[in-house]
Amino acid sequence: MGDDLSVDALRREFQDGMAGITARLDRLVSADVYTLQSAHTGERISALAQGLQREVEAREALESQIERYQLAEAERRERDRQARLYHATVPVIIGLIAAATALWGVMAK
């Protein structure tokens, strides 16, 4: 009778262990589901990488446009500065020539 108890106890312990294993197996994902999830995750990462690459290229293009604009603006300002200098200098030079000519004309008499 003592042997019957120990066999029953072993049987219950074995069944409890199997129930624990079954509970753990129920929480596992099947290989098919894992494969599908992995493929989807890979596709999503690839799409995100492509989107990121497009954003990087767009940012670089914008930075290039800004740089070209800044260079063109600096050149325009330099031309404007030179034009103002020319417009201020030419009348002064003409005035000096006119004054020198008038002075020469007076002194030549």
Side-chain angles (χ1 to χ4, degrees):
M1 191 142 172
D3 289 334
D4 288 339
L5 284 178
S6 64
V7 170
D8 286 338
L10 287 173
R11 189 174 289 153
R12 274 191 302 272
E13 187 178 324
F14 176 77
Q15 288 173 346
D16 290 345
M18 289 303 290
I21 291 172
T22 302
R24 288 184 194 149
L25 288 175
D26 286 343
R27 287 184 277 161
L28 294 178
V29 176
S30 72
D32 293 338
V33 171
Y34 177 78
T35 302
L36 289 173
Q37 286 177 338
S38 295
H40 176 72
T41 301
E43 291 170 2
R44 185 70 180 130
I45 289 171
S46 178
L48 289 172
Q50 290 173 355
L52 180 60
Q53 184 60 38
R54 284 191 300 273
E55 291 296 324
V56 166
E57 290 169 358
R59 181 183 49 81
E60 289 172 350
L62 181 60
E63 288 174 353
S64 178
Q65 289 175 349
I66 290 170
E67 186 176 328
R68 284 193 305 273
Y69 170 78
Q70 288 173 337
L71 289 173
E73 186 64 17
E75 290 172 0
R76 184 193 63 78
R77 287 180 184 171
E78 181 59 23
R79 283 191 308 272
D80 287 351
R81 186 190 68 77
Q82 289 176 358
R84 284 192 306 276
L85 181 62
Y86 174 77
H87 291 311
T89 304
V90 170
V92 170
I93 292 173
I94 291 173
L96 288 174
I97 292 173
T101 304
L103 197 68
W104 180 60
V106 169
M107 294 184 73
K109 283 187 182 184

